[in-house]
Amino acid sequence: MKPAFATPEIKAPFAVSDPLARKGLLRLRQLIFDTAAETPEAGRVEEALRWGQPSYLTRECKTGSTIRLGVPKGARFALFVHCQSRLIPEFASAFPAWDWFDGTRAVLFDEPA
């Protein structure tokens, strides 16, 4: 089930001109909501704008780190986390074949698949 956008302001950053970037951002958004639904201890995911980017946090349970979605330089779209977290290094360790990162702050993508 596709979750509705919390506000029109949150929907706006998904209206990027590149159709592959738009599709990829929407797929990541859906993955965030699907994963949270399958992970009860995560609690309800709140969608908000942070730094002009759609952001996902668990304000009630305060579990995990805020995830942001956006369009970086040098890639079609990306999933951002706080750069001082261990999330990107842990992701890189869990998925060694994936080698497209922006330091410790983002996983970069060019294809929605």
Side-chain angles (χ1 to χ4, degrees), residues 37-74:
E38 296 168 7
T39 313
E41 60 272 17
R44 186 179 67 80
V45 171
E46 179 182 318
E47 187 172 43
L49 277 184
R50 300 286 188 269
W51 301 283
Q53 296 173 316
S55 302
Y56 305 87
L57 54 150
T58 56
R59 193 178 306 273
E60 293 169 354
C61 294
K62 298 186 181 187
T63 57
S65 295
T66 299
I67 297 171
R68 293 179 291 115
L69 303 178
V71 178
K73 295 176 185 172

Side-chain angles (χ1 to χ4, degrees), residues 4-15 47 49:
F5 287 97
T7 68
E9 292 80 18
I10 293 171
K11 185 178 182 179
F14 290 93
E47 187 172 43
L49 277 184

